[in-house]
Amino acid sequence: MNKPQLLIARDVYPAVVEKLEQVFEVETTPEGVVWTPAQLIERLQGKDAVLTSGSERIDAGLLQACPQLKIVANLAVGYNNFDLSAMTAAGVLGTNAPGVLTETTADFGFALLMATARRVTESEHFLRAGRWKQWSLSLFTGADVHGSTLGILGMGRIGQAIARRGAHGFGMRVIYHNRSQLDAATEEACRASYVSQDELLSQADHLVLVLPYSPDVYHLIDAGALAKMKPGATLINIARGGIVDEDALAAALREGRLAAAGLDVFEGEPAVNPSLLSLSNVVLTPHIASASVPTRLAMVMLAADNLLAFFLEGKALTPVNPEVLKNSG
Ligand code: GLV
């Protein structure tokens, strides 16, 4: 029997390619290459499956042009690159990579929070530029992390892992807002209290955004929301860039209404809004929250295992539209 045809749409670890080659006819993508939508469609001709990074857009147009496609396995936990209803309508299964990156991403959320509150990168640039002439009492004074109020918007797995770090490690008061309130046992484990979105904005000293992206949350943090934030607060975004109105954020930072922001994600990434680049009170990182060596490998392996489970056993480990499997059964 012919092997199913698979495109791995980004350069991934050789061990994963080797594993997949046991079952699939694999086309790989060279290092550094990101396919344009038209190139992706071209590469997907005749392919049964594709392993994506989380930024390849899978929409009705692509699905129509690639009728043989049966499964798209994202190596990311976020799957806002999927038009899920179009995929379900076309009978195409989507999978993501939850769980394996939770703790690593929470570590980074905390790293960004601390770097932002304590002005780590700003002061390092100052030192490297040879501008450090003497120690002084107020040199790069920032905000405390311990004992402050940590606000978390979006309390899924990663939000909860950040809450645990804040509450147990840094003695922070943790408040959160989420589509639904967590059960009492989970709140207790995270030592986190549910508040309204407005209470979250007005009470948090450090606000971390970690909610899934959908068009409903586009520019949720706009000028109005920023104006409700506690004066001198910090804002951390490790979710998706589109959640924040970056021009409004830059204005709040420029005017000193917010002390600082730490951003790992950007609306037009990899392009970064020039108004953010020109500010010194922003810590900017290139979407690396899950980027530890073991976690990145685990993410790709989970995507690979989804592909293998689908073709060998007719199921998936972490489907995002499992109704496709039920319908095909
Ligand atoms: C990264 O942003 C992911 O969604 O895994």
Side-chain angles (χ1 to χ4, degrees):
M1 207 178 85
N2 287 341
K3 284 179 167 179
Q5 304 283 315
L6 167 68
L7 172 71
I8 303 182
R10 287 294 185 102
D11 183 39
V12 300
Y13 305 103
V16 183
V17 178
E18 277 162 33
K19 184 171 178 175
L20 288 166
E21 276 172 345
Q22 291 170 19
V23 171
F24 294 92
E25 195 68 54
V26 177
E27 180 177 334
T28 55
T29 296
E31 194 181 343
V33 169
V34 178
W35 304 118
T36 64
Q39 287 170 330
L40 187 62
I41 288 177
E42 201 180 308
R43 298 275 147 187
L44 283 176
Q45 291 311 300
K47 298 288 191 301
D48 301 289
V50 58
L51 193 161
T52 46
S53 72
S55 56
E56 292 78 18
R57 180 94 191 123
I58 308 295
D59 58 15
L62 179 141
L63 294 168
Q64 210 167 28
C66 309
Q68 203 166 326
L69 196 62
K70 297 170 186 66
I71 175 170
V72 185
N74 248 7
L75 63 84
V77 64
Y79 52 90
N80 52 296
N81 57 317
F82 292 173
D83 178 339
L84 205 56
S85 45
M87 287 171 64
T88 305
V92 173
L93 183 71
T95 67
N96 69 337
V100 288
L101 47 58
T102 302
E103 299 299 329
T104 298
T105 304
D107 284 350
F108 190 82
F110 233 87
L112 203 48
L113 189 163
M114 296 195 73
T116 301
R118 296 300 308 276
R119 307 177 67 180
V120 173
T121 58
E122 188 185 359
S123 60
E124 199 216 357
H125 291 151
F126 169 88
L127 179 152
R128 282 182 189 270
R131 293 169 57 201
W132 187 27
K133 302 299 177 210
Q134 59 186 13
W135 184 89
S136 86
L137 201 57
S138 57
L139 189 65
F140 289 105
T141 46
D144 268 325
V145 174
H146 74 274
S148 64
T149 297
L150 170 62
I152 301 176
L153 187 54
M155 198 63 158
R157 296 179 190 81
I158 300 169
Q160 291 170 33
I162 291 172
R164 289 195 301 272
R165 281 160 177 74
H168 298 286
F170 289 82
M172 298 170 93
R173 169 185 169 236
V174 181
I175 52 177
Y176 75 96
H177 183 73
N178 195 46
R179 265 176 310 194
S180 50
Q181 184 168 357
L182 301 179
D183 61 73
T186 311
E187 281 192 347
E188 172 67 27
C190 298
R191 286 205 218 136
S193 314
Y194 182 82
V195 293
S196 70
Q197 187 169 301
D198 279 358
E199 285 169 323
L200 186 81
L201 293 170
S202 64
Q203 292 179 22
D205 295 305
H206 307 288
L207 176 63
V208 181
L209 308 179
V210 65
L211 63 165
Y213 184 77
S214 72
D216 299 346
V217 297
Y218 176 74
H219 286 194
L220 178 69
I221 304 299
D222 59 5
L226 291 164
K228 289 178 187 165
M229 285 182 69
K230 192 168 175 176
T234 68
L235 176 72
I236 312 299
N237 189 4
I238 56 167
R240 287 291 181 266
I243 296 169
V244 176
D245 178 340
E246 292 169 348
D247 288 324
L249 174 61
L253 290 164
R254 205 178 303 114
E255 291 157 20
R257 281 185 281 121
L258 290 190
L263 307 173
D264 186 48
V265 286
F266 304 90
E267 188 171 341
E269 64 184 57
V272 177
N273 187 322
S275 56
L276 292 172
L277 285 171
S278 66
L279 293 166
S280 57
N281 54 344
V282 200
V283 181
L284 305 164
T285 51
H287 203 145
I288 57 166
S290 64
S292 76
V293 176
T295 292
R296 283 286 163 90
L297 179 60
M299 291 162 70
V300 193
M301 277 296 184
L302 180 51
D305 287 341
N306 270 303
L307 292 165
L308 292 167
F310 181 74
F311 280 96
L312 297 176
E313 301 165 55
K315 59 185 195 193
L317 306 175
T318 50
V320 294
N321 55 350
E323 58 273 32
V324 168
L325 288 169
K326 286 188 202 112
N327 295 345
S328 70

